[in-house]
Amino acid sequence: MGILENEFLYLDDLDDKIDKIKNARFEENSSILEAVLMQKHRIDPNQYLKYDVKRGLRDSNGKGVLAGLTEISDVRSYEMEHGKWLPADGSLYYQGINVNDIVENLKGRKFGFEEVVYLLLFGHLPSKTELDILLYAIYSMQDLGNRFVRDVIMKASNENIMNAMQRTVLTLYTYDETPDDISAGNVLRQSLELIAKLPLIAVYSYNSYRHFRKDETLFIRSPEEGLSMAENILLMLRPDKQYTELEAKVLDVALILHAEHGGGNNSSFTTHVVSSSGTDTYSATAASIGSLKGFRHGGANIKVQGMFAEIKKNVKDWTSDEEVKNYLIKIYEKKAFDGSGLIYGIGHAVYTISDPREVHLKKYARMLAEEKGRMEEFELYNRVERLAKEVIVERSNMFKPICANVDFYSGFVYNMLGIPQELYTPIFAIARMAGWSAHRLEELINAGKIIRPAYKYVGEHLTYTPFDER
């Protein structure tokens, strides 16, 4: 029956009264309400076929429905041969430049990610002078101010750093003198501010969580001018401020590879959708962070790490193809890990034979594993990557090739860098802020219509029943 009325009358605090009644009523009826929701909102799958609905905005072959045009990046996984499109090694282009060329030609330079930021925003690779101008802008915009850190970031700390980033980004709106100005120049200024500040917001939010929720030592360290974004992330995160040249290089490459991936990925499409409404930069960015947070998008690397923890615990011989494959079959058949039937990190919506981002991360993962004495783990990842493809192809009758995606090795790389799991997806957001900014500017400059796809109503039209007759 819930809380009795006479008990309610003797409660002293009004808020307590309301909360206690609400909680009791919901707890008693939650299972019934859930059943009603499931029944009412479940749509017959045949209806999607009847009306040819492109679920997930994809056709029957999994190819994305054309929803817009972009010059920012291109994702390729097929090549035309003898009049037919055939699966090919994946390729990714930023403003027409192949990412492979960007990564392979860094040649010791430590500002690879910053060069990519310039490329995505301005459409060409920067000269030394242009890069210096960008670096000066980033350094001058990094400071958050002690009061902001204390009053905003340290207040209401929580374990989910992506949520903390959303809240902080939205709060920056109130510190902007022209927050609603969506002219190209003002949005560029706001974008550079967010690119510069997101690393601090993420790391400070994590350090605050460690201190206020886990009772660990609090340290807030300012970034240093002259260091790359990758170096400053490691500097701010590590108590001893120490990192190796390889560690900084690997994180720089990871930021480059996560910076952009076409207008159709969920978070960049979110940027386009929200920006098309004419809203402010902070709201658009918060929406994109919310999209990236999901385990089907940026949060997938955490799922990969969780899956490997289960594999390590349940497979006695990591070198045995038979043992590893048998456990992967259990995962695929929903008998192990989270029961989803997904082998996380394997398969991609676009790439078939290979994901170029995964190819580079795998190479650097091997280098890090050698430096840190973790080659046994690397070989396990390599074995799972190979055998998981076999399991999925054999048991799903899949005829197109399948490959590991960028999330497969990224979590392992972050783990070897000593980056806490709470920051895996935030680092993705730090990198992708460059791509989101480019897409937002592209949407606003081209002044398209507000994005509004159609949904077919398949319910019934009912007669209203007066309250007293229900």
Side-chain angles (χ1 to χ4, degrees), residues 134-147:
L134 177 70
L135 292 175
Y136 177 77
I138 289 175
Y139 294 141
S140 66
M141 293 174 169
Q142 281 179 324
D143 184 49
L144 284 168
N146 292 337
R147 179 175 293 181

Side-chain angles (χ1 to χ4, degrees), residues 29 47-48 105 115 154 173 177 180 204 215 219 264-265 304 309-310 331 335 351 367 385 387 399 418 424 429 470:
N29 299 304
Q47 296 274 50
Y48 293 96
N105 286 282
E115 290 185 36
M154 291 187 181
Y173 175 99
E177 294 181 359
D180 291 309
Y204 292 175
D215 199 28
F219 61 92
N265 71 80
V304 173
E310 289 295 303
I331 293 175
K335 297 175 182 176
Y351 296 121
M367 293 168 65
E385 178 186 1
L387 296 174
F399 297 104
Y424 287 7
R470 295 176 211 166

Side-chain angles (χ1 to χ4, degrees), residues 23-37:
N23 291 337
R25 287 180 178 173
F26 182 78
E27 288 168 3
E28 291 170 1
N29 299 304
S30 61
S31 59
I32 298 173
L33 292 172
E34 182 179 358
V36 172
L37 284 172

Side-chain angles (χ1 to χ4, degrees), residues 141-153 175 197 200 204 220 222:
M141 293 174 169
Q142 281 179 324
D143 184 49
L144 284 168
N146 292 337
R147 179 175 293 181
F148 185 92
V149 173
R150 183 194 65 201
D151 296 344
V152 178
I153 293 180
Y175 290 77
K197 287 178 168 58
L200 285 73
Y204 292 175
I220 299 294
S222 298

Side-chain angles (χ1 to χ4, degrees), residues 152-218:
V152 178
I153 293 180
M154 291 187 181
K155 197 171 185 178
S157 63
N158 67 83
E159 180 179 2
N160 196 299
I161 308 305
M162 291 293 279
N163 285 80
M165 291 172 74
Q166 282 181 294
R167 176 174 56 83
T168 305
V169 165
L170 286 172
T171 305
L172 285 171
Y173 175 99
T174 64
Y175 290 77
D176 190 333
E177 294 181 359
T178 55
D180 291 309
D181 178 357
I182 60 172
S183 64
N186 194 57
V187 171
L188 174 61
R189 188 265 306 168
Q190 292 171 329
S191 297
L192 289 173
E193 291 258 10
L194 287 168
I195 289 169
K197 287 178 168 58
L198 273 190
L200 285 73
I201 292 171
V203 175
Y204 292 175
S205 295
Y206 172 72
N207 287 341
S208 297
Y209 155 69
R210 285 177 61 253
H211 177 66
F212 292 107
R213 298 301 179 95
K214 301 180 76 174
D215 199 28
E216 297 181 17
T217 302
L218 174 67

